[in-house]
Amino acid sequence: MTQTATPLADDFAVSDDATVRARWTALVEKTLKGQSFDEALTVLTPDGLTIQPLYTAADGVSVARDLRTRDADRPWDLRMRIAHPDSERAARDSLVDLQNGAASVLLAVDPTGAQGVAIGSADDLARALDGVLIDLAPVALDAGYLGPKAADWLGAVAKGAPNAPLAFHMDPLTTFGQTGTSPGPIESHVFNAATVGARLSTTYARASLFLATGRAAHEAGGSNVEELALMTASALAYAKALVRSGLTMEEAFRRIVLGVSLDGEYFTGVAKVRAARALWARLAEACGVSEPAVIEARSSARMLTTKDAWTNLLRLTSAGFAGAVGGADVVVLGTFTDAIGLPTAFARRQARNTQLVLMEESHLGRVADPAGGSWYLDSLTDQIARGAWALFQSIEAAGGVIKALEIGQIATAVGLARDTQAAAFADKSRKILGVTVFPNAEDKPAEVETVDSSAFAVEGPDPRLPGPDSHCPPLTPIRFAAAFEGA
């Protein structure tokens, strides 16, 4: 049977990009009631970046591509956060998560039980991980200034299994930025963490030591540029500390994980993850190494609402989509009730299943860098990366990330971005589903677990180090919806 090819393009006139754009613009302006095309449809982001309504080949830029071959069945690590104050309950939550689709757990450590599992010793940590096969399932920590202590506890629980995929995630700079103070000099906390990390690295060949993230800037209302600049500056500070503790620069970079926060704006989320990888490549090149980035993407807390909390499922899905399409190695989605209280088993299942659907039914990991070649996303990625690199250079010119935090350089930039975004939500040029638009008149509070965290509190070690405390203007976490939920 003879098949005849149908020339689909024959009915379309051949024109250069400028001609096509001019014709399209003229047609659109007829509907804009006197406004110009650029005035009506061009969007300015909180970063000061421009998003055009139409992109053509003339807008194409060269962006570093992530073309790794990913596991088709498990293209990224589905990680679940564990934060119930009861260590025995935390162990049960971990096992349920791991048996039902999660690949790893992120253990929040807080001896008081207020912000995580009440853990104050290696024995407490062992109870919180009872039944977890640590040599198979990656365990990550979130322990603030207790990071070095918790790392030693996890090392003891792992019992020297050299291939245990541990993520110690020490990150004193984020805690310093959020709280505005450190018990002893913050420089000492960074160096102490590096010393402990260097020692543990000799036993645990696959373990990551530091998490470098700009989460403190993001959760305080900062822009994508400020978040990634803080992430990059923190990565450099941690790499220098590890080298000072005896590691080579290449080994130091290999032991650092980048942290990126994702909210419900999935296009900018995709671009931000890709920009983080580009920034890492530029930083590594400047330091004379070629280690690839490892990125852990976490869903944003500032985007969550308490009113009509079910709408948070949409935001979390968008965040997960952005992490997957952007190429994150690890994705951590919170639960839709995190802004209200501790999640129920149902809420945790929703958090797991959101990722499982994206992974196993939507097959988002089967294409390497699916955003590559999109003039819009390549342009946005490039703009975010360039803006973050320029701010990173400004941070380094001020004396590094610690000095920039102490003199308020980062807090000032974050405050301006926060106020700009808050004003956009207030005048409804940016909308919050279920709160500022389409509120649910029959909204009923979502079910959460209510516990007395103080009942599980344990005595933990004092994180204080010798010397005077360090101080900086705090990057206090916010929720943008909170300003409207009291009405």
Side-chain angles (χ1 to χ4, degrees), residues 223-289:
S223 70
N224 297 318
V225 163
E226 289 144 10
E227 177 192 345
L228 293 190
L230 180 55
M231 174 203 76
T232 307
S234 297
L236 181 58
Y238 291 151
K240 287 180 177 179
L242 287 171
V243 170
R244 186 179 163 197
S245 298
L247 273 63
T248 66
M249 185 64 76
E250 185 172 7
E251 180 71 5
F253 269 73
R254 186 180 303 127
R255 300 287 188 154
I256 295 172
V257 173
L258 297 181
V260 175
S261 300
L262 297 174
D263 57 23
E265 298 180 0
Y266 51 84
F267 281 129
T268 52
V270 170
K272 181 159 65 169
V273 174
R274 298 172 81 227
R277 198 172 294 278
L279 287 163
W280 174 269
R282 180 75 177 272
L283 181 65
E285 181 184 19
C287 293
V289 299

Side-chain angles (χ1 to χ4, degrees), residues 21 24-25 28-29 32 35-42 53-54:
R21 186 183 185 92
W24 188 87
T25 300
V28 172
E29 286 187 338
L32 295 180
Q35 288 182 294
S36 71
F37 174 79
D38 290 332
E39 177 187 357
L41 300 178
T42 299
L54 175 67

Side-chain angles (χ1 to χ4, degrees), residues 146-440:
L146 287 179
K149 294 287 187 183
D152 272 332
W153 299 337
L154 182 57
V157 173
K159 298 179 180 178
N163 291 319
L166 308 177
F168 295 120
H169 271 14
M170 291 181 285
D171 185 17
L173 290 175
T174 291
T175 306
F176 179 55
Q178 288 185 328
T179 63
T181 187
S182 66
I186 184 59
E187 294 90 345
S188 297
H189 282 278
V190 172
F191 184 63
N192 179 52
T195 302
V196 171
R199 170 168 49 79
L200 290 169
S201 70
T202 62
T203 302
Y204 298 103
R206 297 175 58 194
S208 60
L209 305 177
F210 279 102
L211 177 69
T213 176
R215 185 172 68 252
H218 173 85
E219 297 295 1
S223 70
N224 297 318
V225 163
E226 289 144 10
E227 177 192 345
L228 293 190
L230 180 55
M231 174 203 76
T232 307
S234 297
L236 181 58
Y238 291 151
K240 287 180 177 179
L242 287 171
V243 170
R244 186 179 163 197
S245 298
L247 273 63
T248 66
M249 185 64 76
E250 185 172 7
E251 180 71 5
F253 269 73
R254 186 180 303 127
R255 300 287 188 154
I256 295 172
V257 173
L258 297 181
V260 175
S261 300
L262 297 174
D263 57 23
E265 298 180 0
Y266 51 84
F267 281 129
T268 52
V270 170
K272 181 159 65 169
V273 174
R274 298 172 81 227
R277 198 172 294 278
L279 287 163
W280 174 269
R282 180 75 177 272
L283 181 65
E285 181 184 19
C287 293
V289 299
S290 58
E291 287 297 320
V294 176
I295 298 176
E296 179 192 84
R298 298 189 194 180
S299 60
S300 165
R302 79 180 194 190
M303 71 173 175
L304 300 179
T305 69
T306 58
K307 277 190 174 181
D308 202 3
W310 296 95
T311 60
N312 290 327
L313 290 169
L314 301 176
R315 300 179 181 94
L316 292 165
T317 301
S318 294
F321 175 93
V325 173
D329 300 275
V330 181
V331 177
V332 187
L333 293 187
T335 71
F336 75 99
T337 59
D338 279 348
I340 305 173
L342 287 172
T344 62
F346 171 77
R348 297 190 65 81
R349 179 163 63 87
Q350 291 297 313
R352 291 193 307 270
N353 287 354
T354 295
Q355 287 206 58
L356 290 174
V357 169
L358 293 171
M359 182 185 297
E360 299 179 1
E361 296 185 27
S362 300
H363 303 293
L364 295 186
R366 287 183 177 267
V367 178
D369 192 21
S374 162
W375 298 318
Y376 163 48
L377 285 171
D378 280 351
S379 175
L380 187 57
T381 298
D382 184 65
Q383 286 189 79
I384 292 174
R386 288 181 183 276
W389 186 261
L391 183 53
F392 160 69
Q393 289 179 310
S394 176
I395 290 171
E396 291 305 302
V401 63
I402 291 175
K403 187 65 175 178
L405 285 167
E406 289 178 332
I407 65 176
Q409 177 184 0
I410 295 174
T412 298
V414 167
L416 290 173
R418 180 191 61 239
D419 293 346
T420 299
Q421 295 190 78
F425 286 120
D427 67 18
K428 295 189 179 181
S429 57
R430 292 181 69 186
K431 300 172 177 59
I432 305 175
L433 182 64
V435 180
T436 63
V437 293
F438 306 118
N440 183 359

Side-chain angles (χ1 to χ4, degrees), residues 54-97:
L54 175 67
Y55 287 82
T56 67
D59 301 299
V61 293
S62 177
V63 177
R65 301 287 303 278
D66 176 20
L67 298 177
R68 295 168 300 157
T69 300
R70 305 171 83 181
D71 186 329
D73 296 321
R74 277 282 165 171
W76 68 85
D77 180 337
L78 193 170
R79 180 166 291 171
M80 288 293 293
R81 185 172 184 267
I82 308 296
H84 197 286
D86 181 6
S87 58
E88 294 182 0
R89 169 61 184 277
R92 293 197 297 272
D93 284 346
S94 296
L95 290 177
V96 169
D97 288 334

